[in-house]
Amino acid sequence: MIDLYTSATPNGHKVSIVLEELALPYTLKLLDLTLGEQKLPAFLAINPNGRIPAIVDRAADDFAVFESGACMIYLAEKTGQLMPTDAKGRSRVLQWLMFQMGGIGPMMGQANVFFRYFPEKIQPAIDRYQGESRRLFRVLDGHLKDHEYLAGDYSIADIANWAWVRTHRWSGVEVDDLPHLKRWLEAIRIRPAVLRGIEAPPSKIDLRRDGEDKARAYSEKARTMVEMGQSNKASSGGHP
């Protein structure tokens, strides 16, 4: 049994999707980021960095793994699924996983901060992070023109990138003129395990359902947590 410590964020959904795809039994341990539960001593014993997600493998002497990419690799290697075992195939998957962790995630995350959360609209910062997110989307689109998935068969690389790119509207970046990226987004979105994974737990805000007015209200509430992101104190916001 796996314990998944998580919240409704792209990084959290990366791991819940993997668990669903692998059909591994797991217990959902939801942390309320608005109350700073990720900074409590019990969770810091699992992840000293105080960030979600993290897992504890109860079948492996309560082995704890933190960082979303590390969790994904651990689960894939534990089961022998969602990642090739040959050196070149494994490397291709890890390259695209690192692409998400070093590029897509940080750039979209900063776009979210400056576009959604900061009260002062610093346009050069917004342009910088939206522009870099858009550039990375074009890299994905170009690669997917000749590839069904990012690294051969469907893998943790696809799951990691998809969990972030699917939230592109929250970052203020459109993908309408990127047909290969759109095809890939839709192909992954309809997978039953993916649909279950993004409901574990469900996002607190959906632009298609809730609209921009509710998004602005949500961003106001989330701002304090974002601004206190480096603090060990409890905060009063969140993010989708």
Side-chain angles (χ1 to χ4, degrees), residues 170-236:
W170 191 253
S171 304
V173 183
E174 291 300 326
V175 299
D176 289 344
D177 62 340
L178 301 175
H180 313 295
L181 183 62
K182 288 178 64 179
R183 184 268 307 162
W184 172 83
L185 283 169
E186 180 61 19
I188 295 174
R189 186 194 67 81
I190 62 175
R191 294 178 66 93
V194 170
L195 293 172
R196 294 191 300 271
I198 59 175
E199 291 295 314
S203 297
K204 295 181 179 180
I205 192 78
D206 184 333
L207 285 175
R208 290 172 294 185
R209 176 193 67 212
D210 300 320
E212 286 290 344
D213 288 343
K214 287 188 178 180
R216 281 190 290 271
Y218 178 83
S219 297
E220 288 287 332
K221 294 179 181 179
R223 181 178 302 156
T224 302
M225 188 189 73
V226 173
E227 291 174 344
M228 294 179 65
Q230 302 305 315
S231 172
N232 284 332
K233 298 179 181 179
S235 54
S236 59

